[in-house]
Every structure is written in structure tokens, then in C-alpha cells.
């Protein structure tokens, strides 16, 4: 990739790191917030649900706006608004302010996927797209991985409001980095076409059925991995006799392994056009490891290794997921397409916290992990169906 492409990737990846840090800011502190705010897990699930409801409602319209007014402008506005939301929560750490802050952060979150993928699709050559997507997603997973040690560490050392201040500060850093960027790129020129540069045709329009399947895929991904990312610590402590430090360490290993799994997945995504089969195999194996965690009493080291394996395998899926969506997106309409299908993340983000919070409040901790297994199996089926549908289309060279 050229230096300009590398610069663009660095800026967009920084924004994505911040977005995932913000997504995980409240879930990372779930074991501490019930006592700090005098609320139940369901009430916290509702607050997280507010974030996702707002994102789900605004993401598709914001995707259209990204294509119309410019992805970089929208990205700067999102970083500013995200910082403001957590700054408010740091100043007023109450449950009512939490609901308001989650609504504002949800509005900001609705910008990131359409804007990021629009910038990357226009500024990165197709032959490097899988690796660019993987670096971008790696940064997001890294942001999520940093959330538990940063947020919980600050809350334990001082109090929760300082955790929210750190989240606000991260947004300001992202705003500064993206603000230094170059003007929005035109479509990147591809090197001379070779046999290896042949990929599936980009459609002129995306069929509604394809959009529906991909949106459902994103919802199932959100539910299956969200159970582990956001509720596994509470589930392990409550139902599996795991200490809070051991559970938090296992989650941190999961997060970092997910990030490195994304990098491996990016290399694989550029070496095959069978993205659905790659994603299905990785997710099916991840489900097996979750069953092992449920069924066997694992010591802390083996528990961390098992969650690390789950994280690595689910991370491998991310670039192939993005390539499936890009293949279904008309050129120049990436913001709209990613904006629509990414609402699936938010649908899962609305259902998941309330469902998993309900299970924890009823003492059904193992149900959280069993639900993750079920959603992983459904995800495997969906990507296999989408792969077969995509494989029926002829391949041709990108010009």
C-alpha cells in the first residue's frame, strides 16, 4: 500500500479503536456498577440496550449521509460526540445520566462503520482490501481489549467516574489524529489486472434478500460474541466459581486473541474468495471451545487459554465478514450498505444485554454461555447459506 493509503488506514483504525473502547466502556465495568450505582444487571442491560437502539435507528440513515456529505466529516463529528457523552457521565455518574450518555454515544456509534468502510473502500486498492479490513478490525478489537484493564483498573484505583473520563480522553485523542488527516480520498486505482486480481463482481444494486441475510448475520455475531465480551466475567464469577481477577484475565486474553485472530483472518481473506466457508469453520470450532468451558472445571490458566482460542477463532471471521458485505455492495454505496447491515450489530446489542442480564439475575449463569453456543451455530449456518448464494455469481476482473 502507498504511504497515503497507510496514513488513511492509520487514521480510520484509530477511530475504530476509540469506537470499540466506547462500546466496551460500560460492559467492562458490569461487575462493579450494580454496587456503585445501586442498580440491577437488567437495568444496566437496559442502558446498554439504549446505546444499541439508538445506533440501530440511526445507522442506516447515517450511512446515506456519509455517502452524501463525506465520511471524514461524519467521523470527526462522531468522535466529538462520543467524547462528550462520556465526559458528561464522568461529571454526573448517575443512572439517569448513564441512560442519556448511552443515547448520545449510540448516535456517535452509528457513524463509525459506514464512515470507516466508505473511506477504506475508496482509499485502498482491492487487492489489499482484506488486509486493510483486518488491520481496521484489529484496531477495534484492540480498543475492546484495552477496556477491561483501563476501565476496571481506574474504577478500582479511584472511582467509576475516572473510568468514564478516560473514555472521553480517548475520544479526544482520536479526534486529533483524524483531524490531522488528508482530504477524503478518491477511489484508489488498482494495479494492472492479473489472474490473481480476479474477484467476484460488484453488483449495481444489492438485493433486499441479501441485505436481510447479512443484517441477520451481523445480529448473530453480536449476540454470540457479545455474550462473552460483555457478560462472561459476571457469568464465570456467579456460576462457575471463578474469581473476579481470573475471569477478568480470561476476558482480556479473549480480547487480545480476537485482535490477533483478525490479523490472521485478513491474510486468509486475501488468499481466498471462499469467505463464507472460512468463517463457518472458525465459528463452528469456537462453539466447541465454549462447550468445553461450560462442561469442564478449568483452572485459571486453562480457562484463559480456552477463551483465547475462542477469541482467536471469532477474530478470524471478521475480515471475511467484511469482504462478504463489500462483495454485495455497489461501488460508491459502501456507506449505505455497511450502514444497513451493521444495524444487525445493534439489534443484537439490544436483545443480548437484556437477555443475558435476565439470565444472570435469575442465577442462570451457564445459560449465558449456552446462548452463545446457540448463536454461534446459527451464525455458521447463515454464512454457509450466504457463501453458496455468492458462489453462484460469476467472477470477473476489477478495473
Amino acid at each position: 500500500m502507498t504511504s497515503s493509503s497507510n496514513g488513511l488506514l492509520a487514521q480510520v483504525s484509530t477511530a475504530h479503536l476509540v469506537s470499540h473502547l466506547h462500546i466496551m466502556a460500560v460492559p467492562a465495568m458490569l461487575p462493579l456498577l450494580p454496587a456503585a450505582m445501586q442498580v440491577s444487571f437488567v437495568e444496566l442491560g437496559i442502558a446498554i440496550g439504549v446505546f444499541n437502539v439508538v445506533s440501530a435507528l440511526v445507522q442506516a440513515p447515517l450511512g446515506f449521509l456519509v455517502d452524501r456529505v463525506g465520511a471524514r466529516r461524519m467521523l470527526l463529528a462522531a468522535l466529538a460526540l462520543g467524547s462528550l457523552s462520556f465526559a458528561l457521565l464522568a461529571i454526573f455518574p448517575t443512572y439517569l445520566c448513564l441512560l442519556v450518555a448511552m443515547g448520545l454515544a449510540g448516535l456517535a456509534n452509528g457513524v463509525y462503520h459506514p464512515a470507516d468502510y466508505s473511506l477504506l473502500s475508496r482509499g485502498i486498492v482491492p487487492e489489499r482490501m482484506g488486509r486493510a479490513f483486518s488491520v481496521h478490525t484489529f484496531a477495534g478489537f484492540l480498543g475492546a481489549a484495552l477496556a477491561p484493564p483501563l476501565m476496571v483498573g481506574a474504577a478500582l484505583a479511584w472511582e467509576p467516574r475516572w473510568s468514564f473520563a478516560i473514555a472521553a480522553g480517548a475520544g479526544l485523542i482520536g479526534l486529533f489524529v483524524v483531524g490531522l488527516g488528508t482530504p477524503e480520498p478518491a477511489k484508489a486505482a488498482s494495479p494492472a489486472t492479473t489472474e490473481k486480481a480476479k474477484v467476484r463482481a460488484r453488483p449495481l444494486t444489492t438485493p433486499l434478500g441479501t441485505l436481510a441475510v447479512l443484517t441477520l448475520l451481523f445480529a448473530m455475531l453480536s449476540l454470540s460474541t457479545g455474550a462473552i465480551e460483555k457478560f462472561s466475567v459476571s457469568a464465570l464469577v456467579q456460576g462457575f466459581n471463578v474469581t473476579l481477577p481470573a475471569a477478568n484475565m480470561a476476558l482480556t486474553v479473549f480480547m487480545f486473541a480476537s485482535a490477533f485472530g483478525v490479523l490472521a483472518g485478513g491474510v486468509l481473506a486475501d488468499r481466498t474468495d471462499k469467505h463464507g466457508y472460512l468463517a463457518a469453520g472458525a465459528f463452528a470450532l469456537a462453539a466447541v471451545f465454549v462447550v468445553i468451558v461450560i462442561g469442564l472445571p478449568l483452572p485459571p490458566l486453562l480457562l484463559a487459554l480456552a477463551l483465547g482460542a475462542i477469541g482467536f477463532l471469532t477474530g478470524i471471521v471478521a475480515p471475511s465478514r467484511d469482504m462478504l458485505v463489500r462483495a454485495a455492495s455497489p461501488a460508491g454505496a459502501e456507506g449505505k450498505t455497511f450502514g444497513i447491515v451493521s444495524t444487525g450489530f445493534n439489534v443484537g446489542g439490544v436483545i443480548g444485554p437484556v437477555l443475558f442480564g435476565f439470565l444472570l439475575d435469575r442465577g442462570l449463569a451457564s445459560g449465558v454461555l449456552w446462548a452463545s453456543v446457540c448463536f454461534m451455530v446459527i451464525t455458521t449456518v447463515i454464512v454457509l447459506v450466504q457463501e453458496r448464494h455468492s458462489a453462484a455469481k460469476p467472477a470477473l476482473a476489477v478495473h
Side-chain angles (χ1 to χ4, degrees), residues 193-355:
T193 302
T194 66
E195 287 300 313
K196 291 184 178 179
K198 290 184 177 180
V199 294
R200 289 173 187 161
R202 300 286 297 280
L204 296 177
T205 60
T206 305
L208 291 177
T210 300
L211 283 176
V213 170
L214 290 171
T215 303
L216 180 61
L217 168 61
F218 273 54
M220 292 299 105
L221 286 168
S222 173
L223 287 165
S224 56
T225 59
I228 299 173
E229 290 176 357
K230 300 177 177 66
F231 288 87
S232 65
V233 170
S234 298
L236 290 169
V237 170
Q238 183 187 105
F240 294 85
N241 296 318
V242 177
T243 65
L244 178 58
N248 204 47
M249 176 58 70
L251 176 61
T252 301
V253 172
F254 170 89
M255 293 292 196
F256 279 102
S258 297
F260 286 100
V262 167
L263 293 180
V267 174
L268 294 172
D270 276 338
R271 293 184 177 180
T272 180
D273 64 352
K274 304 297 184 183
H275 300 115
Y277 293 133
L278 174 61
F283 242 66
L285 189 54
V288 172
F289 276 101
V290 179
V291 172
I292 291 173
V293 170
I294 297 170
L296 297 178
L298 300 175
L301 178 58
L302 289 181
L303 177 64
L305 290 174
L307 259 69
I310 296 165
F312 187 82
L313 289 164
T314 55
I316 285 176
V317 172
S320 291
R321 170 204 73 195
D322 296 338
M323 294 295 280
L324 285 171
V325 178
R326 185 175 183 273
S329 172
E334 294 87 0
K336 291 189 282 288
T337 307
F338 276 98
I340 291 170
V341 302
S342 293
T343 59
F345 276 145
N346 305 121
V347 171
V350 172
I351 297 171
V354 177
L355 170 62

Side-chain angles (χ1 to χ4, degrees), residues 31 44 65 83 106 130 218 233 293 344 393:
L44 291 172
L65 197 58
S83 297
F218 273 54
V233 170
V293 170
K393 298 177 181 178

Side-chain angles (χ1 to χ4, degrees), residues 55-76:
S55 285
L57 291 174
V58 303
Q59 195 149 211
L62 288 174
F64 282 85
L65 197 58
V66 161
D67 289 335
R68 182 175 292 273
V69 305
R72 189 166 171 274
R73 289 181 187 175
M74 296 292 292
L75 198 56
L76 289 169

